[in-house]
Amino acid sequence: MITRITVLLCVLFPSTLIAEPTVWKAVKAELEYTLMGGDHYGKPHYYPLPDVLTDTFEATDGIIVDLDVMTETEVSVPKGTPSKEFLNQQEQDLLEKFAQKAKIAYVALLNAPPWQAAYQLQITLSKQMGYKTKHGVTLYMLIKAYQENVPVISLSSSQQMADKITSLNQEGLHLLLDTLNNWDDDVRLGECFEKAWLAGDSDTMTQMVDDRMLDAREADHKFITDSNYNWAGQLSDQDLFSSGHYTVILSPSNLYGTYGILAMLKENGFEVTALNEGTFVNCYTLQ
């Protein structure tokens, strides 16, 4: 996860509220998907995952993810232009404060291209909050799949992901500036989004994604809208998937929203229903 597009920060969920992430079923003719939102980073309190997900996984024909992080490890990226070539003095001073907070060498961030500096800051600060790869839902399900010899299908490759971010205008300068100027707000929104995901509050997640896309930047379109059209197209392609039952784990940011995967599957003729009930969380004002 490299930007506020995908880095959804965690917050401990109240133990008094019995709720769980929503698991969905999408059916079209002889093809059935069991879908759940899940990211590449997480915390221990995500587990156990909903029974309806793990139970149906026992009969799955394969698991579908955005990226197989267990095998997709090598990418080629251009050297890029140092962030110091883009930032004014005030922005450099702010970067230095964040470098100290993240305990990263300031000079290293200055000499890294903006997208890479933003990535290093967000990943490091998120890890300081206890947000780790080893607790990510994607990795958890991939390990389970490999242990049980379940086929793994990726909708994209590491190189494709790298090409998206390295091709951003001004080498992703807006990602770095968003991190420096909006970190605290993003943390608060991330906490609310995480609560909604853990509670299965689909309405809140849909509204939050839609609101963010109202003033979407280039990276939002590439990593959310463009990815959704691509992935929904693959999932609806009968030459790729004509029959069988598959388990799909994708980021909640991609799954929900007016132009999310769930909505697009409906438009493509799938009958989409929830397999478990969610609970409303009062952390975001629905418009």
Side-chain angles (χ1 to χ4, degrees), residues 12-18:
L12 288 176
F13 191 69
S15 59
T16 55
L17 183 59
I18 300 175

Side-chain angles (χ1 to χ4, degrees), residues 43-55:
K43 284 189 175 182
H45 66 278
Y46 283 14
Y47 305 92
L49 296 178
D51 288 341
V52 67
L53 177 72
T54 54
D55 289 347

Side-chain angles (χ1 to χ4, degrees), residues 38-102:
D39 276 309
H40 292 274
Y41 294 83
K43 284 189 175 182
H45 66 278
Y46 283 14
Y47 305 92
L49 296 178
D51 288 341
V52 67
L53 177 72
T54 54
D55 289 347
T56 56
F57 189 76
E58 300 303 319
T60 193
D61 293 311
I63 182 171
I64 302 174
V65 295
D66 59 344
L67 179 65
D68 182 356
V69 294
M70 296 186 68
T71 60
E72 289 274 352
T73 56
E74 296 185 6
V75 296
S76 174
V77 296
K79 183 178 180 180
T81 306
S83 294
K84 61 185 176 183
E85 299 296 326
F86 296 96
L87 303 178
N88 59 37
Q89 188 58 54
Q90 182 179 1
E91 292 165 344
Q92 290 187 30
D93 291 343
L94 188 56
L95 178 63
E96 184 173 15
K97 291 181 180 179
F98 269 81
Q100 294 173 352
K101 182 177 181 179

Side-chain angles (χ1 to χ4, degrees), residues 194-266:
E194 198 72 17
K195 284 183 178 180
W197 174 74
L198 283 166
D201 186 349
S202 303
D203 289 340
T204 294
M205 285 185 285
T206 295
Q207 188 66 52
M208 293 185 74
V209 173
D210 285 349
D211 285 352
R212 186 170 72 198
M213 296 308 294
L214 288 175
D215 59 351
R217 305 289 290 271
E218 179 190 12
D220 291 295
H221 288 298
K222 283 194 173 187
F223 285 94
I224 297 183
T225 308
D226 292 352
S227 292
N228 290 352
Y229 277 111
N230 182 298
W231 297 344
Q234 292 185 58
L235 294 173
S236 303
D237 189 341
Q238 290 189 343
D239 291 334
L240 297 176
F241 304 100
S242 59
S243 63
H245 169 253
Y246 296 88
T247 301
V248 182
I249 304 295
L250 296 173
S251 170
S253 293
N254 294 102
L255 208 60
Y256 293 94
T258 300
Y259 299 100
I261 297 294
L262 293 172
M264 290 184 180
L265 288 179
K266 289 181 181 179

